[in-house]
Amino acid sequence: MAVINPHQDHFPDIGDQEIASLGVPFAFVSVFDHWLTEAECTATSLFTYESALKANQLQDYLAGERKFLALYNHLGNAGTIVNFSGVLRPIVSASSEFQRILRRSLREARFMDVYLEGYGVRILGNYDRTDVIIAETCEQLDVLETEIARFDLHMLRK
């Protein structure tokens, strides 16, 4: 008999599909307040920890990282499920392990895949200081947009 993980419904396999093709509400959380132009992308050295370090802008990078950490810790207080190498399990948002998962994702070493139970959304780590939010309803995104703004981050929608 197959063992069914009670959290599996929150982690459908996306594979290499474009999120838009899934037909679910989604948005992005970012340190940037708009989609950057090509010129803006070229001009910034704050996309990655490594590029900020090389450009002597690590303090600016870390300021944005602290915003993400504070947001995800706050949102995770109501319950967090982590998908780590295909193993789904609850995790305490204040734990050092969760902090490590977040930092590695924000620094693009290994992207996170977490479900925030209190908000009913899945967060996927992504490139360029912009993570993906997948929701079941647009209303969930609206609630989350207010929370994101409280941490001086921005919700970007396509």
Side-chain angles (χ1 to χ4, degrees), residues 63-119:
E65 183 177 277
R66 283 189 293 273
K67 292 176 186 181
F68 274 105
L69 292 172
L71 171 68
Y72 292 145
N73 285 320
H74 169 73
L75 297 177
N77 282 336
T80 304
I81 308 297
V82 64
N83 178 2
F84 194 77
S85 299
V87 177
L88 309 178
R89 62 186 171 81
I91 191 168
V92 176
S93 66
S95 70
S96 60
E97 180 185 13
F98 188 59
Q99 301 312 300
R100 198 168 37 255
I101 289 169
L102 293 176
R103 275 198 179 84
R104 290 188 71 198
S105 183
L106 292 168
R107 295 179 184 181
E108 299 183 8
R110 180 180 184 143
F111 290 126
M112 69 176 159
D113 185 0
V114 299
Y115 182 78
L116 303 169
E117 293 180 292
Y119 293 86

Side-chain angles (χ1 to χ4, degrees), residues 10-144:
H10 304 305
F11 293 92
D13 184 23
I14 295 172
D16 292 333
Q17 299 180 73
E18 285 290 322
I19 303 264
S21 72
L22 298 175
V24 296
F26 72 98
F28 301 84
V29 58
S30 179
V31 295
F32 305 110
D33 64 358
H34 63 281
W35 292 108
L36 299 185
T37 65
E38 189 173 329
E40 289 171 314
C41 289
T42 302
T44 188
S45 56
L46 295 176
F47 275 144
T48 67
Y49 181 88
E50 293 299 323
S51 64
L53 184 62
K54 288 177 186 173
N56 201 28
Q57 291 187 305
L58 190 56
Q59 291 309 310
D60 293 333
Y61 175 90
L62 291 175
E65 183 177 277
R66 283 189 293 273
K67 292 176 186 181
F68 274 105
L69 292 172
L71 171 68
Y72 292 145
N73 285 320
H74 169 73
L75 297 177
N77 282 336
T80 304
I81 308 297
V82 64
N83 178 2
F84 194 77
S85 299
V87 177
L88 309 178
R89 62 186 171 81
I91 191 168
V92 176
S93 66
S95 70
S96 60
E97 180 185 13
F98 188 59
Q99 301 312 300
R100 198 168 37 255
I101 289 169
L102 293 176
R103 275 198 179 84
R104 290 188 71 198
S105 183
L106 292 168
R107 295 179 184 181
E108 299 183 8
R110 180 180 184 143
F111 290 126
M112 69 176 159
D113 185 0
V114 299
Y115 182 78
L116 303 169
E117 293 180 292
Y119 293 86
V121 298
R122 183 179 179 186
I123 307 284
L124 299 172
N126 200 23
Y127 295 100
D128 301 335
R129 321 272 325 260
T130 304
D131 291 340
V132 181
I133 307 164
I134 302 172
E136 294 174 17
T137 68
C138 290
E139 291 76 21
Q140 289 169 312
L141 291 178
D142 294 339
V143 168
L144 209 53

